[in-house]
Amino acid sequence: ESVKGQFAVAEGILNRVESARYPDTVCGVSNQGTGRKYACQFTYTCDGHPEHIREKKAWTRVGQVARAMLDGAPSNVTAGATHYHTHHFYRQPVRTAQR
């Protein structure tokens, strides 16, 4: 991901934290559904593969992005998105009762 993409992913996670529909912590959101192979929010938590840091510079950069967002850096690149897939960010559709 580009740095902008990393900020967008972080923003989406924080948008979920703020939503009543998801866990209220970053770890809770990131690990939601873990334990059900490929049925989790973030595949890396439930694909059965051990995580290995292979790109130290990228790891450092993503850590800096995460720290900035957790410290309250302003960001509005997703327009409130709570989901993303292949660089497309969106909010989960909300159904309302029709009369």
Side-chain angles (χ1 to χ4, degrees):
E1 283 290 336
S2 68
V3 173
K4 182 178 180 181
Q6 292 173 14
F7 272 98
V9 170
E11 184 178 311
I13 291 169
L14 292 176
N15 288 341
R16 285 185 181 198
V17 169
E18 293 299 316
S19 170
R21 301 177 86 174
Y22 301 95
D24 60 359
T25 67
V26 170
C27 288
V29 167
S30 298
N31 291 302
Q32 188 176 17
T34 298
R36 297 176 296 146
K37 192 160 186 166
Y38 299 117
C40 54
Q41 298 298 319
F42 295 95
T43 305
Y44 80 91
T45 69
C46 68
D47 63 6
H49 300 289
E51 299 306 314
H52 300 288
I53 300 165
R54 292 185 175 91
E55 297 179 44
K56 301 256 188 228
K57 287 183 181 179
W59 178 255
T60 298
R61 182 178 60 214
V62 76
Q64 291 168 337
V65 169
R67 178 78 272 151
M69 291 298 290
L70 290 171
D71 287 344
S75 182
N76 191 18
V77 294
T78 69
T82 54
H83 293 72
Y84 72 94
H85 181 71
T86 61
H87 307 290
H88 296 283
F89 289 81
Y90 59 96
R91 284 179 258 179
Q92 186 173 15
V94 177
R95 294 182 181 197
T96 58
Q98 295 181 4
R99 292 178 186 223

